[in-house]
Amino acid sequence: MNPTLRNHVGYNEAVLDDDASFDKFHRWADILADKLKISFTKKLDDFEALYWDFLYKGTALTLSFNIFNGISVFPSLEEKSDHFENAAIAELVDALKDASPEE
């Protein structure tokens, strides 16, 4: 699946995979770290979800995994985000268009 851009209640979200696993989440995290040269600043791991924060072009974003919703990236401020954060998500989708977590 190629990353797609979706507007979610007022903020953009990059959907990386809607049918995902913990293993695929970690492969996407590696792709983000390698391809975009980011590092994760905060990691929240739960039984059914993972939320890893990072900075991309000065914008606070969150890589998310949820067993029900898959893997996505969204502004850490969510509905409080503005045009700058939404533009960063759109750029991220474009930067990852040829990326694949498949081995």
Side-chain angles (χ1 to χ4, degrees):
M1 173 179 180
N2 285 332
T4 58
L5 186 63
R6 160 174 89 180
N7 189 282
H8 181 75
V9 190
Y11 62 91
N12 285 344
E13 178 179 30
V15 178
L16 303 181
D17 200 315
D18 54 8
D19 182 30
S21 63
F22 284 105
D23 185 52
K24 200 175 279 189
F25 172 87
H26 287 92
R27 289 197 306 260
W28 272 113
D30 290 343
I31 289 170
L32 287 168
D34 294 343
K35 188 169 178 114
L36 304 179
K37 307 296 184 219
I38 61 100
S39 55
F40 295 97
T41 57
K42 181 178 165 188
K43 296 179 179 180
L44 175 62
D45 297 350
D46 195 358
F47 179 70
E48 297 177 338
L50 304 171
Y51 299 97
W52 291 12
D53 295 342
F54 63 98
L55 290 176
Y56 176 68
K57 297 190 174 189
T59 303
L61 302 177
T62 300
L63 174 64
S64 168
F65 168 75
N66 179 294
I67 61 171
F68 303 107
N69 299 324
I71 301 169
S72 64
V73 176
F74 53 83
S76 298
L77 296 174
E78 297 182 42
E79 55 274 335
K80 295 178 185 168
S81 63
D82 62 20
H83 175 74
F84 185 73
E85 285 89 359
N86 287 326
I89 293 291
E91 286 182 33
L92 183 132
V93 167
D94 191 50
L96 296 176
K97 66 182 172 198
D98 295 326
S100 173
E102 304 305 323
E103 296 180 306

